[in-house]
Amino acid sequence: MTTQTTTANPLAPEGGTFSFVTMVENLVAGEHLEKNPWTQDAMWHNIANQVVDGLVARGVLTRVQGDIITGVTPLADLPDLIGCPDDSPVWRAIYTTHRLTSGAAFRAAKAEIRNIMARRAVTTKQFSFMLGVIVDRDIRKAKSRKEKGNHKPASLQTARNAFGDGGYLTDAVVGGTWAPIYKAPTELLGMALAGDTAARTTLMIGGGYALIMDGYLTRDRESKFFEGTTPYRGTPPVILSDLASHPHGLRMLATAWSGWNPELPSHEYNIPDIKEDGSVVIGGSTVETLQAVRLTEGRLFEIASPSKAMAGSLKQQEIRRGRNIADSPEERNRANRDHLIFALEMAMDASAELSASTVSPPPHPFGTHDEWTKARDAALQVYATLVKNEPDTQAGFINSDDPDSDEDESY
């Protein structure tokens, strides 16, 4: 186990100490001051170390807790120290987030930042960016590897931009009295589906960490919406809040966490897309090419809020028509299929809520008889169209020979 060295500082308050990490950082800062300018990432990394030391000096954190946050404590020691089920970097991220954002610790940490930077105020996005350069320490080497021949930045830089846009600091995280639950993602999912708020928050942070670090959830940009990458605009905290608010989203968070690999860059493996029941979406035109469909950011937005996704898709179509940008027939068919599914899912949810309504007529939960007739006729018309246009169940698949048949076709 690594031993943390502390050195007395004659300029610090009585009993105050600076960690070895801070001493090294201060030496490096002196070099950068005269030679190479600091990047935002390096600057906030240095500030983060000073904030942790300041919280230790004020008694908000213990030295052991500070060592866990700054990465001095090895991952292998975390199960014994904090009670997590394994030594995944996700647990250090969850622990760090809890120690720096819950309750009075959040206000104390922001006060330390203000003192260090001589600022009157620190925004939550600035705090989130600082948090991002703390929690990525264990995975920087793997997630900073770029794909050969691809000019797209590595997912580590994309992740830091996402943390600069709020990361996973939702309203349920910052300044709240939550406490993490150190159980496996599958156990957390069961507890979250049963209504456990702490389990839902822990799952949201763990799954959100995986999605952000691998570039499945990025910062909000207007270009993403107008290029059709996402069906609507939303910052990472908003998307994660929506995901954590319903079963499909919670299952997606658990799947992302369980399938996340801290030792590989995002382009070397995939986090799969899932259906509402949690099963993996399978794609492929033939039996030989069947495989799990890779999750995309646009799909993540659809899972987070189907109603927003449908409204956004309709708005994108209007924008394209206004710009005279013609969609291909295949793209129009795909968009219309998505709209059909979204509309039917919304209709099922609405009809289920209306049928379970406790309001005594009049008015009837389904409205007047004319309103009910209009809804029924529309549903029957869609049903008749679907039945009439049922695809061939064998379309796109190649029939293989019976493996039990010994008969040679040429003979």
Side-chain angles (χ1 to χ4, degrees), residues 147-212:
E147 186 176 4
K148 292 183 178 180
N150 195 333
H151 297 290
K152 184 179 180 181
S155 64
L156 181 66
Q157 187 58 52
T158 305
R160 288 179 178 170
N161 291 335
F163 271 102
D165 202 19
Y168 48 62
L169 294 190
T170 65
D171 292 339
V173 175
V174 290
T177 56
W178 67 281
I181 297 179
Y182 296 108
K183 294 183 180 295
T186 51
E187 295 182 72
L188 288 172
L189 175 60
M191 297 172 66
L193 291 174
D196 191 308
T197 303
R200 184 165 59 245
T201 302
T202 306
L203 185 62
M204 187 272 295
I205 295 175
Y209 180 81
L211 292 169
I212 291 174

Side-chain angles (χ1 to χ4, degrees), residues 23-277:
M23 294 175 62
V24 173
E25 292 285 352
N26 290 338
L27 290 174
V28 173
E31 291 295 315
H32 281 282
L33 183 65
E34 299 298 336
K35 297 178 181 179
N36 299 319
W38 280 83
T39 63
Q40 287 291 317
D41 307 53
M43 181 187 74
W44 280 101
H45 184 273
N46 190 21
I47 291 173
N49 286 328
Q50 295 183 53
V51 167
V52 173
D53 280 330
L55 294 177
V56 171
R58 293 172 57 179
V60 178
L61 297 174
T62 66
R63 186 71 262 171
V64 173
Q65 293 170 341
D67 289 347
I68 295 175
I69 294 172
T70 55
V72 174
T73 302
L75 286 172
D77 294 344
L78 293 188
D80 291 334
L81 289 175
I82 66 177
C84 56
D86 52 53
D87 58 357
S88 170
V90 178
W91 291 117
R92 196 197 296 274
I94 292 174
Y95 180 86
T96 299
T97 304
H98 171 241
R99 288 300 176 186
L100 296 183
T101 66
S102 64
F106 182 61
R107 296 186 293 273
K110 291 182 73 172
E112 288 293 331
I113 299 174
R114 290 196 301 270
N115 293 335
I116 294 168
M117 301 187 69
R119 288 186 176 181
R120 298 179 62 182
V122 177
T123 67
T124 300
K125 287 187 176 182
Q126 290 172 330
F127 190 95
S128 177
F129 187 85
M130 184 196 73
L131 183 65
V133 297
I134 302 177
V135 298
D136 67 13
R137 283 170 167 159
D138 295 313
I139 59 171
R140 288 174 186 169
K141 184 176 180 180
K143 300 304 180 181
S144 62
R145 294 205 303 270
K146 293 178 60 176
E147 186 176 4
K148 292 183 178 180
N150 195 333
H151 297 290
K152 184 179 180 181
S155 64
L156 181 66
Q157 187 58 52
T158 305
R160 288 179 178 170
N161 291 335
F163 271 102
D165 202 19
Y168 48 62
L169 294 190
T170 65
D171 292 339
V173 175
V174 290
T177 56
W178 67 281
I181 297 179
Y182 296 108
K183 294 183 180 295
T186 51
E187 295 182 72
L188 288 172
L189 175 60
M191 297 172 66
L193 291 174
D196 191 308
T197 303
R200 184 165 59 245
T201 302
T202 306
L203 185 62
M204 187 272 295
I205 295 175
Y209 180 81
L211 292 169
I212 291 174
M213 286 302 171
D214 273 9
Y216 290 93
L217 183 58
T218 63
R219 64 178 175 181
D220 179 35
R221 298 193 304 274
E222 189 176 22
S223 59
K224 292 197 301 183
F225 172 73
F226 286 102
E227 291 172 0
T229 306
T230 60
Y232 59 94
R233 295 190 59 182
T235 60
V238 171
I239 302 303
L240 290 174
S241 293
D242 287 343
L243 286 171
S245 66
H246 56 85
H248 193 185
L250 290 170
R251 292 188 178 98
M252 186 68 257
L253 291 168
T255 299
W257 185 351
S258 300
W260 183 69
N261 191 328
E263 299 177 355
L264 293 177
S266 58
H267 60 267
E268 292 185 7
Y269 78 106
N270 295 329
I271 291 177
D273 185 11
I274 64 167
K275 301 177 183 177
E276 192 169 356
D277 60 359

